[in-house]
mmCIF file of all heavy atoms in Angstrom:
data_model
loop_
_atom_site.group_PDB
_atom_site.id
_atom_site.type_symbol
_atom_site.label_atom_id
_atom_site.label_comp_id
_atom_site.label_asym_id
_atom_site.label_seq_id
_atom_site.Cartn_x
_atom_site.Cartn_y
_atom_site.Cartn_z
ATOM 1 N N MET A 1 0.976 6.815 -1.190
ATOM 2 C CA MET A 1 1.520 5.512 -1.495
ATOM 3 C C MET A 1 2.091 5.450 -2.916
ATOM 4 O O MET A 1 3.120 4.800 -3.145
ATOM 5 C CB MET A 1 0.440 4.430 -1.313
ATOM 6 C CG MET A 1 -0.043 4.285 0.131
ATOM 7 S SD MET A 1 1.290 3.946 1.290
ATOM 8 C CE MET A 1 1.827 2.329 0.730
ATOM 9 N N GLN A 2 1.395 6.068 -3.866
ATOM 10 C CA GLN A 2 1.917 6.084 -5.241
ATOM 11 C C GLN A 2 3.026 7.144 -5.427
ATOM 12 O O GLN A 2 3.940 6.953 -6.204
ATOM 13 C CB GLN A 2 0.779 6.380 -6.209
ATOM 14 C CG GLN A 2 -0.337 5.362 -6.157
ATOM 15 C CD GLN A 2 0.165 3.958 -6.484
ATOM 16 O OE1 GLN A 2 0.964 3.737 -7.351
ATOM 17 N NE2 GLN A 2 -0.368 2.969 -5.736
ATOM 18 N N GLY A 3 2.909 8.225 -4.663
ATOM 19 C CA GLY A 3 3.901 9.308 -4.795
ATOM 20 C C GLY A 3 5.257 8.959 -4.284
ATOM 21 O O GLY A 3 6.271 9.475 -4.766
ATOM 22 N N ILE A 4 5.325 8.035 -3.317
ATOM 23 C CA ILE A 4 6.617 7.597 -2.817
ATOM 24 C C ILE A 4 7.449 7.012 -3.933
ATOM 25 O O ILE A 4 8.666 7.288 -4.064
ATOM 26 C CB ILE A 4 6.436 6.555 -1.712
ATOM 27 C CG1 ILE A 4 5.848 7.181 -0.451
ATOM 28 C CG2 ILE A 4 7.746 5.853 -1.356
ATOM 29 C CD1 ILE A 4 5.562 6.190 0.659
ATOM 30 N N ASN A 5 6.828 6.235 -4.843
ATOM 31 C CA ASN A 5 7.584 5.650 -5.967
ATOM 32 C C ASN A 5 8.111 6.717 -6.878
ATOM 33 O O ASN A 5 9.269 6.653 -7.350
ATOM 34 C CB ASN A 5 6.631 4.729 -6.771
ATOM 35 C CG ASN A 5 6.090 3.576 -5.959
ATOM 36 O OD1 ASN A 5 6.709 3.161 -4.962
ATOM 37 N ND2 ASN A 5 4.930 3.101 -6.298
ATOM 38 N N ILE A 6 7.317 7.743 -7.139
ATOM 39 C CA ILE A 6 7.762 8.844 -8.006
ATOM 40 C C ILE A 6 8.930 9.594 -7.399
ATOM 41 O O ILE A 6 9.924 9.877 -8.087
ATOM 42 C CB ILE A 6 6.585 9.767 -8.320
ATOM 43 C CG1 ILE A 6 5.467 9.023 -9.045
ATOM 44 C CG2 ILE A 6 7.054 10.951 -9.161
ATOM 45 C CD1 ILE A 6 4.217 9.814 -9.251
ATOM 46 N N VAL A 7 8.818 9.922 -6.122
ATOM 47 C CA VAL A 7 9.880 10.676 -5.455
ATOM 48 C C VAL A 7 11.161 9.895 -5.381
ATOM 49 O O VAL A 7 12.262 10.418 -5.662
ATOM 50 C CB VAL A 7 9.412 11.092 -4.047
ATOM 51 C CG1 VAL A 7 10.567 11.773 -3.284
ATOM 52 C CG2 VAL A 7 8.200 12.032 -4.104
ATOM 53 N N LEU A 8 11.060 8.588 -5.100
ATOM 54 C CA LEU A 8 12.261 7.744 -5.069
ATOM 55 C C LEU A 8 12.902 7.662 -6.447
ATOM 56 O O LEU A 8 14.134 7.683 -6.587
ATOM 57 C CB LEU A 8 11.881 6.336 -4.592
ATOM 58 C CG LEU A 8 11.620 6.154 -3.092
ATOM 59 C CD1 LEU A 8 11.109 4.764 -2.787
ATOM 60 C CD2 LEU A 8 12.882 6.422 -2.280
ATOM 61 N N ASN A 9 12.076 7.614 -7.472
ATOM 62 C CA ASN A 9 12.580 7.535 -8.845
ATOM 63 C C ASN A 9 13.306 8.803 -9.241
ATOM 64 O O ASN A 9 14.336 8.803 -9.944
ATOM 65 C CB ASN A 9 11.437 7.251 -9.805
ATOM 66 C CG ASN A 9 11.901 6.922 -11.198
ATOM 67 O OD1 ASN A 9 13.030 6.426 -11.399
ATOM 68 N ND2 ASN A 9 11.082 7.170 -12.178
ATOM 69 N N ILE A 10 12.772 9.948 -8.796
ATOM 70 C CA ILE A 10 13.395 11.257 -9.137
ATOM 71 C C ILE A 10 14.747 11.423 -8.448
ATOM 72 O O ILE A 10 15.729 11.861 -9.092
ATOM 73 C CB ILE A 10 12.434 12.383 -8.734
ATOM 74 C CG1 ILE A 10 11.194 12.378 -9.619
ATOM 75 C CG2 ILE A 10 13.147 13.768 -8.817
ATOM 76 C CD1 ILE A 10 10.141 13.373 -9.209
ATOM 77 N N PHE A 11 14.843 11.072 -7.171
ATOM 78 C CA PHE A 11 16.033 11.350 -6.408
ATOM 79 C C PHE A 11 17.087 10.249 -6.503
ATOM 80 O O PHE A 11 18.249 10.514 -6.212
ATOM 81 C CB PHE A 11 15.688 11.629 -4.939
ATOM 82 C CG PHE A 11 15.132 12.991 -4.704
ATOM 83 C CD1 PHE A 11 13.789 13.227 -4.724
ATOM 84 C CD2 PHE A 11 16.004 14.091 -4.481
ATOM 85 C CE1 PHE A 11 13.271 14.522 -4.526
ATOM 86 C CE2 PHE A 11 15.489 15.342 -4.275
ATOM 87 C CZ PHE A 11 14.124 15.572 -4.311
ATOM 88 N N PHE A 12 16.674 9.067 -6.839
ATOM 89 C CA PHE A 12 17.624 7.980 -6.902
ATOM 90 C C PHE A 12 17.699 7.358 -8.277
ATOM 91 O O PHE A 12 18.198 7.960 -9.179
ATOM 92 C CB PHE A 12 17.324 6.954 -5.784
ATOM 93 C CG PHE A 12 17.383 7.574 -4.413
ATOM 94 C CD1 PHE A 12 16.223 8.007 -3.783
ATOM 95 C CD2 PHE A 12 18.573 7.755 -3.765
ATOM 96 C CE1 PHE A 12 16.271 8.631 -2.535
ATOM 97 C CE2 PHE A 12 18.629 8.365 -2.513
ATOM 98 C CZ PHE A 12 17.480 8.781 -1.910
ATOM 99 N N CYS A 13 17.129 6.205 -8.479
ATOM 100 C CA CYS A 13 17.148 5.584 -9.807
ATOM 101 C C CYS A 13 15.911 4.725 -9.965
ATOM 102 O O CYS A 13 15.206 4.417 -9.021
ATOM 103 C CB CYS A 13 18.426 4.799 -10.022
ATOM 104 S SG CYS A 13 18.578 3.408 -8.871
ATOM 105 N N VAL A 14 15.666 4.306 -11.232
ATOM 106 C CA VAL A 14 14.507 3.509 -11.531
ATOM 107 C C VAL A 14 14.568 2.153 -10.860
ATOM 108 O O VAL A 14 13.536 1.532 -10.553
ATOM 109 C CB VAL A 14 14.340 3.364 -13.046
ATOM 110 C CG1 VAL A 14 15.439 2.492 -13.616
ATOM 111 C CG2 VAL A 14 12.958 2.810 -13.396
ATOM 112 N N PHE A 15 15.785 1.666 -10.574
ATOM 113 C CA PHE A 15 15.936 0.365 -9.924
ATOM 114 C C PHE A 15 15.405 0.361 -8.481
ATOM 115 O O PHE A 15 15.072 -0.638 -7.910
ATOM 116 C CB PHE A 15 17.400 -0.065 -9.933
ATOM 117 C CG PHE A 15 17.961 -0.261 -11.319
ATOM 118 C CD1 PHE A 15 18.831 0.671 -11.850
ATOM 119 C CD2 PHE A 15 17.577 -1.344 -12.073
ATOM 120 C CE1 PHE A 15 19.354 0.499 -13.129
ATOM 121 C CE2 PHE A 15 18.083 -1.533 -13.360
ATOM 122 C CZ PHE A 15 18.967 -0.592 -13.896
ATOM 123 N N MET A 16 15.323 1.594 -7.896
ATOM 124 C CA MET A 16 14.777 1.701 -6.548
ATOM 125 C C MET A 16 13.315 1.322 -6.550
ATOM 126 O O MET A 16 12.792 0.802 -5.532
ATOM 127 C CB MET A 16 14.939 3.135 -6.064
ATOM 128 C CG MET A 16 14.805 3.308 -4.567
ATOM 129 S SD MET A 16 16.107 2.509 -3.635
ATOM 130 C CE MET A 16 17.509 3.505 -4.151
ATOM 131 N N ASN A 17 12.614 1.523 -7.677
ATOM 132 C CA ASN A 17 11.203 1.172 -7.769
ATOM 133 C C ASN A 17 11.009 -0.363 -7.733
ATOM 134 O O ASN A 17 9.975 -0.835 -7.321
ATOM 135 C CB ASN A 17 10.580 1.746 -9.029
ATOM 136 C CG ASN A 17 10.336 3.207 -8.913
ATOM 137 O OD1 ASN A 17 10.326 3.794 -7.818
ATOM 138 N ND2 ASN A 17 10.176 3.895 -10.024
ATOM 139 N N ALA A 18 12.034 -1.078 -8.177
ATOM 140 C CA ALA A 18 11.908 -2.573 -8.107
ATOM 141 C C ALA A 18 11.881 -2.999 -6.635
ATOM 142 O O ALA A 18 11.094 -3.851 -6.266
ATOM 143 C CB ALA A 18 13.091 -3.201 -8.841
ATOM 144 N N ALA A 19 12.804 -2.443 -5.838
ATOM 145 C CA ALA A 19 12.801 -2.776 -4.409
ATOM 146 C C ALA A 19 11.503 -2.320 -3.734
ATOM 147 O O ALA A 19 10.951 -3.039 -2.923
ATOM 148 C CB ALA A 19 14.006 -2.090 -3.759
ATOM 149 N N ARG A 20 11.057 -1.134 -4.137
ATOM 150 C CA ARG A 20 9.801 -0.614 -3.580
ATOM 151 C C ARG A 20 8.608 -1.485 -3.970
ATOM 152 O O ARG A 20 7.675 -1.729 -3.202
ATOM 153 C CB ARG A 20 9.620 0.821 -4.043
ATOM 154 C CG ARG A 20 8.263 1.425 -3.839
ATOM 155 C CD ARG A 20 7.962 1.693 -2.390
ATOM 156 N NE ARG A 20 6.638 2.248 -2.240
ATOM 157 C CZ ARG A 20 5.923 2.249 -1.142
ATOM 158 N NH1 ARG A 20 6.439 1.706 -0.046
ATOM 159 N NH2 ARG A 20 4.747 2.771 -1.072
ATOM 160 N N GLY A 21 8.623 -1.981 -5.213
ATOM 161 C CA GLY A 21 7.544 -2.839 -5.688
ATOM 162 C C GLY A 21 7.436 -4.114 -4.915
ATOM 163 O O GLY A 21 6.321 -4.587 -4.619
ATOM 164 N N ILE A 22 8.573 -4.721 -4.593
ATOM 165 C CA ILE A 22 8.557 -5.966 -3.820
ATOM 166 C C ILE A 22 8.014 -5.714 -2.429
ATOM 167 O O ILE A 22 7.202 -6.486 -1.897
ATOM 168 C CB ILE A 22 9.994 -6.549 -3.757
ATOM 169 C CG1 ILE A 22 10.458 -6.974 -5.146
ATOM 170 C CG2 ILE A 22 10.086 -7.692 -2.770
ATOM 171 C CD1 ILE A 22 11.948 -7.292 -5.236
ATOM 172 N N ALA A 23 8.477 -4.601 -1.795
ATOM 173 C CA ALA A 23 7.973 -4.273 -0.458
ATOM 174 C C ALA A 23 6.474 -4.004 -0.485
ATOM 175 O O ALA A 23 5.751 -4.362 0.453
ATOM 176 C CB ALA A 23 8.732 -3.067 0.092
ATOM 177 N N THR A 24 6.008 -3.365 -1.560
ATOM 178 C CA THR A 24 4.585 -3.051 -1.678
ATOM 179 C C THR A 24 3.749 -4.344 -1.798
ATOM 180 O O THR A 24 2.650 -4.413 -1.270
ATOM 181 C CB THR A 24 4.353 -2.178 -2.915
ATOM 182 O OG1 THR A 24 5.092 -0.967 -2.780
ATOM 183 C CG2 THR A 24 2.878 -1.798 -3.042
ATOM 184 N N GLN A 25 4.274 -5.334 -2.489
ATOM 185 C CA GLN A 25 3.567 -6.616 -2.564
ATOM 186 C C GLN A 25 3.414 -7.261 -1.196
ATOM 187 O O GLN A 25 2.333 -7.779 -0.861
ATOM 188 C CB GLN A 25 4.310 -7.559 -3.533
ATOM 189 C CG GLN A 25 4.214 -7.164 -4.979
ATOM 190 C CD GLN A 25 4.821 -8.218 -5.900
ATOM 191 O OE1 GLN A 25 4.467 -9.399 -5.825
ATOM 192 N NE2 GLN A 25 5.772 -7.827 -6.736
ATOM 193 N N VAL A 26 4.511 -7.272 -0.427
ATOM 194 C CA VAL A 26 4.426 -7.813 0.924
ATOM 195 C C VAL A 26 3.434 -7.042 1.763
ATOM 196 O O VAL A 26 2.621 -7.593 2.491
ATOM 197 C CB VAL A 26 5.847 -7.801 1.565
ATOM 198 C CG1 VAL A 26 5.763 -8.237 3.018
ATOM 199 C CG2 VAL A 26 6.818 -8.660 0.784
ATOM 200 N N GLU A 27 3.510 -5.712 1.659
ATOM 201 C CA GLU A 27 2.594 -4.843 2.390
ATOM 202 C C GLU A 27 1.139 -5.113 2.018
ATOM 203 O O GLU A 27 0.267 -5.164 2.877
ATOM 204 C CB GLU A 27 2.959 -3.390 2.116
ATOM 205 C CG GLU A 27 2.069 -2.389 2.841
ATOM 206 C CD GLU A 27 2.478 -0.950 2.524
ATOM 207 O OE1 GLU A 27 3.477 -0.774 1.833
ATOM 208 O OE2 GLU A 27 1.769 -0.026 2.966
ATOM 209 N N GLY A 28 0.878 -5.314 0.736
ATOM 210 C CA GLY A 28 -0.456 -5.540 0.261
ATOM 211 C C GLY A 28 -1.036 -6.851 0.809
ATOM 212 O O GLY A 28 -2.235 -6.896 1.134
ATOM 213 N N ILE A 29 -0.236 -7.873 0.899
ATOM 214 C CA ILE A 29 -0.692 -9.165 1.408
ATOM 215 C C ILE A 29 -1.090 -9.043 2.898
ATOM 216 O O ILE A 29 -2.179 -9.509 3.289
ATOM 217 C CB ILE A 29 0.417 -10.229 1.265
ATOM 218 C CG1 ILE A 29 0.659 -10.515 -0.228
ATOM 219 C CG2 ILE A 29 0.010 -11.521 2.004
ATOM 220 C CD1 ILE A 29 1.891 -11.398 -0.479
#
């Protein structure tokens, strides 16, 4: 779950983590 953020950041951009963070909040609820 944490590694997905790192891999997305490496292959794409840091802004991808913002989208991932929002999805993670929904998932957590």
Side-chain angles (χ1 to χ4, degrees):
M1 295 305 295
Q2 300 302 319
I4 291 176
N5 299 333
I6 298 174
V7 174
L8 285 173
N9 190 26
I10 292 174
F11 281 92
F12 299 98
C13 62
V14 69
F15 298 106
M16 197 67 66
N17 285 342
R20 167 69 180 160
I22 294 169
T24 302
Q25 289 187 54
V26 175
E27 181 181 354
I29 294 171

